[in-house]
Amino acid sequence: MSQPSRREFLLQATLTLAEAGVALHRPRRALAAPSTDQPLYAFPVLGDIHYDLMAHHDMDWVQREKPHDVRQIEGYVDASTRFTPRFLRSVAAMMREQKAPVPFVVQVGDFVEGLCGSFDLQAKQFEDAIGVVDDVGFGVPFLITKGNHDITGPGAPEAYDRVLLPWLGKQQDRGLDQASYIVKHDED
């Protein structure tokens, strides 16, 4: 059996959550208190944000090394400036309207576009994307899994480790020295 792609996983997870009423429910326990339809908690699952601005790229490097990605970068820049902040604010507003507690937001890869061409530009891309998330003020940890775009291009893996990991650690009130981590919530 082949492993599903991230997009296939997200599609299936979205369909499953929609069928379940979007929130997770407390499992029924034998001889326990009467069951309730009140969700235990809910959390948004986001993916493929690809935050990007033209100032994040050494376009000479992109045109020389990744010429087929120029139009893709332009599209993500357009989406990032026109839609991303508004989209994230709408997610935060929907979180406030939930009846169930929302303990965190999960972003499942490709937080940024990458392909910047240098460590400094990649670090700036992460800083700017973090700034947009911080400006929204979710009020809960924003958890990120590493996507291929987050570490694509010269200096990208190092920028991920030096810029994004410390911020992710602050989101969880702990230090992180690698992108693999576990978050436990409501251990009853």
Side-chain angles (χ1 to χ4, degrees):
M1 177 181 225
S2 67
Q3 190 172 23
S5 70
R6 184 174 61 247
R7 285 191 174 104
E8 291 167 336
F9 170 80
L10 286 173
L11 175 61
Q12 187 59 51
T14 301
L15 293 172
T16 301
L17 288 173
E19 291 169 359
V22 183
L24 300 176
H25 296 273
R26 185 176 299 278
R28 294 178 190 230
R29 295 183 182 151
L31 304 175
S35 69
T36 175
D37 286 339
Q38 178 63 32
L40 177 61
Y41 58 91
F43 58 93
V45 178
L46 311 174
D48 293 295
I49 291 174
H50 288 271
Y51 188 79
D52 201 5
L53 300 174
M54 288 307 288
H56 296 153
H57 299 279
D58 174 346
M59 289 308 291
D60 291 335
W61 176 84
V62 172
Q63 290 176 349
R64 184 177 61 253
E65 299 296 325
K66 303 287 184 179
H68 293 62
D69 291 324
V70 171
R71 292 191 72 193
Q72 175 176 291
I73 288 168
E74 292 168 347
Y76 286 128
V77 166
D78 182 53
S80 295
T81 55
R82 291 180 41 199
F83 304 114
T84 301
R86 184 174 42 168
F87 167 71
L88 293 175
R89 284 192 303 271
S90 71
V91 170
M94 289 190 306
M95 288 169 54
R96 288 188 293 275
E97 296 171 5
Q98 287 294 312
K99 292 180 182 173
V102 178
F104 45 76
V105 176
V106 177
Q107 203 301 125
V108 292
D110 294 348
F111 180 50
V112 297
E113 169 58 6
L115 297 173
C116 297
S118 71
F119 169 84
D120 291 338
L121 291 170
Q122 185 67 56
K124 177 71 171 145
Q125 189 174 64
F126 281 127
E127 290 165 358
D128 289 351
I130 288 167
V132 169
V133 169
D134 287 345
D135 286 348
V136 168
F138 285 102
V140 298
F142 193 92
L143 308 175
I144 296 174
T145 60
K146 185 189 318 183
N148 64 312
H149 283 259
D150 299 321
I151 56 168
T152 299
E158 295 82 6
Y160 189 96
D161 290 347
R162 292 189 205 164
V163 177
L164 196 62
L165 280 181
W167 180 76
L168 283 172
K170 288 178 187 175
Q171 295 293 301
Q172 302 172 49
D173 293 325
R174 64 176 170 162
L176 286 178
D177 60 359
Q178 62 181 0
S180 298
Y181 58 91
I182 295 172
V183 175
K184 292 182 180 180
H185 176 73
D186 195 19
E187 295 184 50
D188 319 342

